Amino acid sequence: ADFFFFFQPSATLNYFQQPQDIKESDFLKFLQKYGSHSFLAPSHVQPSFPAFYRAGDPIFIYFDSSSVLSTLRQPGAMGASGLCVDRNPAGFLDSKSTSCTRIFTNLSKSCVADPALDAASYYRDFVVLKVPVAGTIVQSMKVIYGIEFSGTHGIQNVSVQFKVSNISENSGSSLQQHFTLHFWVSARIPSGLLPSLAPPHLLPRSRNPGYITGAPLLIANGGAMQHMSILQSEGDGSCSQFLRHTVQFGRNMRTGCKLSLSPALEEGNCSPIQQELYKALQGMSRAEDLAITGHAHSTQAEGWTTILIQNCSVQAVNCTSCCMVPVTLEIQILWAKVGFLSNPQAQILGARYFYQCQPLKFLSTSMVPLTTIVTFIDMTAWPEPPRNQPQMHWKLPFDIFFPFEVALNLERSYRDYLAGYFLLILIVSGMLCF
């Protein structure tokens, strides 16, 4: 006899549900449903590192003389003052530039004794580990680190470049430093190539089919691709004219700075002031499209989604000498995980530039405070959870027990025959005795 067993698991349990299409009319509805407070307190759980670097992982360095394991640092600015913070770890594949201000009281003494002003302190007595190793992480002018890597084979080469300048006691009591960290694939970009020299088609992007956390977001304007960026402040709190923060996938951001208006814009003409502030908030090139996945190409229209732009009202309220100008830009990005549960891919569903305005009185101030907020909103539709264990559906022949029934019948007949024969012997024996 043949036995057949059939299992009917639900195929949809292995996939994320297909996300809904985002239209301009229902963007606000999804934003209110899935949005939540941003800038949550970070987790205090120590991360575990794999056998190779992943995007955003700290880069390990080792001091051979003291047998200390640490991480590569990229100093950055803290607070409105922009003072340098040296305990800022550099993230793998996280190419970025930072600027900060150092204050010193005795330049002659600091120039000799302060490690921050010593170029050798940024490369001396330590080596960079090609791949992470098990262990505990020690929490503990212009510098450019160039790191060449090759897939899962790890870091292949590290270079450092300096640009120094002479300063004197008369130049003041502060010094602004710039730090840059740049990654390149060894098979594509030769060693030593700086970010400013990289050709446009080598624009760093996410390596997954979807976006990975910490990867730069790609935007396009008329087919020209670049990274989405927001305002960055200088050491004195003013808006930088050249440097901007790159928006990284999955990381909420908030920046603020003060923009200085030129005298020509303070004469009472509202429209040029508005255009100047819009230009400062959105950057030199106005973003039109946002890449849905991290590997999108400019020639593939299906890989891009149009950015919804909502400007604020330009009419002043109860103020005859006011101009309604944009002071806040909130970038709202809706995304979801798609594909297999075992290998999810992050995909952007829609994005909106939402400007907020305030009245500005003419000739009242020459500095306008600007704020930029970036919020990522997860709209992942998880599959339906299984209700219980899969059930087995039996499909057996109707006469599967026939051989057992025949054997039982034969055994029962033979037993009845022996009992009758034994009874007959007893009767005959009784008759002979009488």
Side-chain angles (χ1 to χ4, degrees):
D2 297 328
F3 296 86
F4 302 92
F5 300 90
F6 292 90
F7 295 89
Q8 295 181 345
S10 177
T12 59
L13 299 181
N14 297 326
Y15 300 87
F16 289 102
Q17 296 182 16
Q18 189 66 23
Q20 305 180 49
D21 293 332
I22 305 298
K23 300 179 181 178
E24 184 174 3
S25 57
D26 54 17
F27 191 98
L28 185 60
K29 177 184 66 176
F30 288 116
L31 184 67
Q32 295 174 346
K33 180 179 180 181
Y34 294 97
S36 61
H37 298 290
S38 60
F39 309 106
L40 299 177
S43 173
H44 296 286
V45 179
Q46 290 293 338
S48 58
F49 298 100
F52 53 88
Y53 288 114
R54 294 179 179 176
D57 285 350
I59 300 171
F60 290 109
I61 61 176
Y62 182 72
F63 294 87
D64 186 59
S65 59
S66 56
S67 300
V68 174
L69 181 68
S70 184
T71 55
L72 187 65
R73 308 290 183 176
Q74 183 179 7
M78 181 183 69
S81 61
L83 296 179
C84 290
V85 177
D86 293 313
R87 292 181 175 270
N88 183 37
F92 184 67
L93 293 184
D94 188 6
S95 300
K96 63 181 179 181
S97 298
T98 58
S99 299
C100 59
T101 301
R102 297 191 188 274
I103 298 178
F104 43 86
T105 56
N106 190 326
L107 178 60
S108 300
K109 182 178 179 180
S110 298
C111 187
V112 177
D114 193 346
L117 303 182
D118 183 7
S121 65
Y122 294 97
Y123 67 89
R124 183 178 52 200
D125 298 333
F126 69 85
V127 294
V128 179
L129 301 187
K130 295 177 61 176
V131 294
V133 295
T136 302
I137 300 177
V138 179
Q139 298 297 336
S140 64
M141 66 219 178
K142 186 169 186 179
V143 182
I144 301 177
Y145 287 106
I147 299 180
E148 178 183 358
F149 69 98
S150 177
T152 58
H153 295 289
I155 295 175
Q156 304 297 310
N157 184 30
V158 179
S159 62
V160 60
Q161 299 184 21
F162 302 95
K163 181 180 180 181
V164 298
S165 59
N166 294 324
I167 58 176
S168 63
E169 292 282 1
N170 298 328
S171 60
S173 60
S174 64
L175 171 67
Q176 189 174 48
Q177 294 179 310
H178 303 273
F179 303 88
T180 300
L181 184 66
H182 177 60
F183 292 85
W184 68 84
V185 182
S186 58
R188 299 184 63 186
I189 307 178
S191 176
L193 187 62
L194 298 181
S196 59
L197 302 179
H201 66 277
L202 296 179
L203 189 69
R205 60 183 65 199
S206 176
R207 299 297 176 186
N208 270 10
Y211 277 103
I212 58 177
T213 302
L217 265 64
L218 293 177
I219 59 175
N221 183 3
M225 293 193 306
Q226 59 182 327
H227 290 156
M228 179 183 288
S229 63
I230 58 176
L231 287 171
Q232 179 173 336
S233 63
E234 296 285 359
D236 58 356
S238 63
C239 298
S240 176
Q241 298 181 4
F242 307 102
L243 300 177
R244 292 175 65 88
H245 288 295
T246 300
V247 177
Q248 301 171 352
F249 180 80
R251 295 179 177 173
N252 296 338
M253 303 176 66
R254 185 185 184 97
T255 63
C257 60
K258 293 184 178 181
L259 182 67
S260 177
L261 297 177
S262 62
L265 298 177
E266 300 179 22
E267 296 177 354
N269 194 348
C270 186
S271 180
I273 298 179
Q274 293 171 348
Q275 297 303 319
E276 183 72 14
L277 295 179
Y278 274 118
K279 184 179 179 181
L281 288 168
Q282 68 190 10
M284 297 297 295
S285 180
R286 183 174 182 267
E288 295 181 350
D289 301 308
L290 175 62
I292 296 176
T293 58
H295 70 297
H297 295 275
S298 58
T299 57
Q300 300 172 342
E302 66 278 5
W304 299 82
T305 181
T306 301
I307 299 177
L308 306 177
I309 299 178
Q310 183 175 348
N311 294 334
C312 48
S313 175
V314 296
Q315 296 180 356
V317 179
N318 298 328
C319 183
T320 57
S321 61
C322 290
C323 178
M324 293 295 292
V325 297
V327 294
T328 301
L329 168 61
E330 184 174 358
I331 303 177
Q332 302 161 340
I333 301 173
L334 307 181
W335 69 280
K337 295 179 181 178
V338 298
F340 286 104
L341 290 176
S342 58
N343 186 27
Q345 302 296 321
Q347 189 176 97
I348 290 178
L349 306 179
R352 180 176 75 157
Y353 276 33
F354 180 68
Y355 291 95
Q356 300 179 25
C357 283
Q358 289 184 357
L360 175 68
K361 291 186 177 181
F362 295 120
L363 302 179
S364 62
T365 179
S366 60
M367 301 289 289
V368 180
L370 301 179
T371 303
T372 308
I373 303 172
V374 180
T375 306
F376 288 85
I377 302 170
D378 187 359
M379 291 182 54
T380 300
W382 294 84
E384 181 183 357
R387 300 182 183 88
N388 48 33
Q389 295 296 326
Q391 301 295 321
M392 294 184 296
H393 297 272
W394 299 86
K395 186 177 182 181
L396 304 174
F398 70 94
D399 58 348
I400 184 174
F401 298 108
F402 175 74
F404 305 101
E405 293 178 355
V406 172
L408 291 175
N409 291 335
L410 290 176
E411 182 180 358
R412 188 180 302 109
S413 299
Y414 181 69
R415 188 167 55 248
D416 294 342
Y417 172 76
L418 291 179
Y421 183 74
F422 181 71
L423 180 61
L424 179 62
I425 292 177
L426 293 177
I427 294 174
V428 173
S429 300
M431 294 175 61
L432 292 177
C433 291
F434 290 103

